[in-house]
Amino acid sequence: MVFLLTGIEARGFIFGPPIALAIGAKFVPLRKPKKLPGEVISEEYTLEYGSDRLEMHVGAVNKGERALVVDDLIATGGTLCAAMNLLERAGAEIVECACLIELPELKGRDRLHGKPLHVLVEYH
Amino acid sequence: MFAAENGLKGDPRLEAISQAIRVVPHFPKKGIMFQDITTLLLDHKAFQDTVDIFVDRYRNMDISVVAGIEARGFMFGPSIALAIGAKFVPLRKPKKLPGKVICEEYELEYGTDCLEMQVDAVQPGDRALIVDDLVATGGTLSAAIRLLGKRMGAQVVECGCVVGLPEVKGQCRLNGKPVYILVEPREIDNCRHADISSEFLNVQCSG
């Protein structure tokens, strides 16, 4: 039984909440810097040029909670990896990552801390 | 118009939704009591009730498109769209949407910003609902109404927001379109929730 579902800004917010509602989970948005009010934890990740940061609310996740990570697409896996780091730092137990689309040649699947990835379509 | 004055007077769901929204003082700047809906998303029942109230209102209005305003409008719009059988169209900040877009400018406190929509998303004659988490001055919603109505020829039926700031109370229409709001903002916190630690709820005022 999954307790929480995180979605990555902004396209993860389109798919994540309907799934969370349907399965009885809480929804936790993971956002670009300075968007979430109150106390946050932050994880940096590298882009092709430079870096970016993903933030999550302190207190949104309780230790030991089972979590899903949802995004529209996985490419290199950098963003998903940052999302998983945030969840693990907060003590969540990640069950699976779920994306609509995978670009398999970019091997993002290998960066998911050994956790399973569920995708609906692959794009080659 | 507020839900409590339009058929939902005394509905306990509204009180629970209001209580599930956390107030963060002085965010993003001093003087603003930020209405943080992320705590509502953590409360499955209150979140489901929020969606259900909108769905009950709109399911028989022949809505063919729900447009959500980036990014918090994305958290509510799709669920409503799915339940009422409408397509979902994201309205985004500049340069996020690929392909051909149209853009509508709106005013900020200092300067302007732009809201974009893909040109093939909406057809003339589409009946549209626009969704966002909160309406304050109505600037962003007005831009959305212009994008869908004036620019694309859709019929904007209504705007739906979870929270409505006092500026819109009594002023039932924005650009001639009705705005339906679930709750008013609360001043400061007695936000209560079973599953959230009290530290998370009681945000310290950094003064």
Side-chain angles (χ1 to χ4, degrees):
Chain A
M1 194 199 146
V2 173
F3 291 101
L4 77 95
L5 191 150
T6 56
I8 302 177
E9 169 157 20
R11 289 181 290 262
F13 295 173
I14 296 175
F15 300 99
I19 302 169
L21 284 171
I23 66 175
K26 44 190 201 185
F27 179 74
V28 176
L30 304 185
R31 298 210 65 174
K32 297 278 153 89
K34 298 192 176 39
K35 303 289 185 78
L36 290 169
E39 215 193 335
V40 296
I41 54 171
S42 167
E43 182 78 20
E44 201 167 299
Y45 61 103
T46 47
L47 300 169
E48 194 179 2
Y49 298 106
S51 64
D52 204 343
R53 268 194 1 248
L54 210 54
E55 292 186 342
M56 183 172 81
H57 267 142
V58 169
V61 172
N62 299 320
K63 259 191 163 51
E65 267 179 339
R66 286 161 58 82
L68 277 181
V69 188
V70 170
D71 207 359
D72 64 320
L73 179 146
I74 174 172
T76 62
T79 319
L80 272 174
C81 183
M84 295 174 80
N85 287 341
L86 277 173
L87 281 164
E88 283 171 351
R89 283 165 57 191
E93 183 203 316
I94 298 169
V95 173
E96 191 162 284
C97 294
C99 302
L100 265 78
I101 304 162
E102 180 187 13
L103 308 182
E105 275 91 3
L106 298 178
K107 301 192 194 303
R109 191 180 276 269
D110 299 342
R111 296 185 62 180
L112 302 184
H113 306 191
K115 298 292 181 179
L117 171 69
H118 183 69
V119 298
L120 302 191
V121 298
E122 292 180 2
Y123 185 78
H124 296 269
Chain B
M1 71 195 91
F2 280 80
E5 293 148 15
N6 281 275
L8 293 184
K9 188 180 162 85
D11 191 319
R13 294 177 299 174
L14 292 178
E15 180 59 22
I17 289 164
S18 177
Q19 292 298 324
I21 296 169
R22 175 173 77 145
V23 181
V24 180
H26 308 303
F27 182 88
K29 55 181 209 246
K30 215 166 167 61
I32 298 186
M33 303 300 276
F34 189 83
Q35 306 293 307
D36 180 14
I37 51 92
T38 61
T39 44
L40 174 63
L41 308 176
L42 295 176
D43 181 336
H44 181 265
K45 181 173 187 326
F47 185 17
Q48 185 68 65
D49 286 341
T50 303
V51 170
D52 288 347
I53 290 171
F54 285 122
V55 169
D56 288 343
R57 180 174 178 80
Y58 296 116
R59 63 157 39 100
N60 295 316
M61 287 196 190
D62 242 332
I63 307 280
S64 55
V65 54
V66 176
I69 300 180
E70 166 161 25
R72 290 183 290 264
F74 294 3
M75 298 177 193
F76 297 96
S79 300
I80 299 167
L82 286 167
I84 67 175
K87 50 190 184 184
F88 176 74
V89 171
L91 305 183
R92 298 208 67 176
K93 297 280 155 82
K95 298 192 181 31
K96 303 290 186 75
L97 289 166
K100 194 147 182 271
V101 294
I102 52 170
C103 181
E104 210 29 63
E105 212 170 79
Y106 62 100
E107 283 193 16
L108 300 170
E109 195 180 2
Y110 299 107
T112 61
D113 203 345
C114 217
L115 202 59
E116 287 187 350
M117 181 173 81
Q118 288 169 321
V119 296
D120 45 12
V122 167
Q123 272 74 55
D126 261 325
R127 285 172 56 82
L129 165 68
I130 301 171
V131 171
D132 207 357
D133 65 320
L134 180 143
V135 53
T137 62
T140 324
L141 272 181
S142 293
I145 292 167
R146 292 195 300 275
L147 265 178
L148 282 143
K150 200 169 72 156
R151 306 280 300 274
M152 293 309 298
Q155 186 191 350
V156 177
V157 175
E158 195 159 275
C159 300
C161 299
V162 181
V163 189
L165 261 50
E167 284 96 298
V168 289
K169 192 166 194 174
Q171 190 204 121
C172 277
R173 296 185 162 252
L174 199 61
N175 271 22
K177 301 299 176 183
V179 183
Y180 183 76
I181 298 160
L182 300 196
V183 297
E184 289 187 57
R186 285 181 304 108
E187 278 302 304
I188 188 60
D189 235 328
N190 52 350
C191 176
R192 56 164 194 274
H193 190 280
D195 198 27
I196 304 176
S197 71
S198 53
E199 287 106 59
F200 181 51
L201 295 176
N202 296 321
V203 178
Q204 293 308 317
C205 179
S206 60

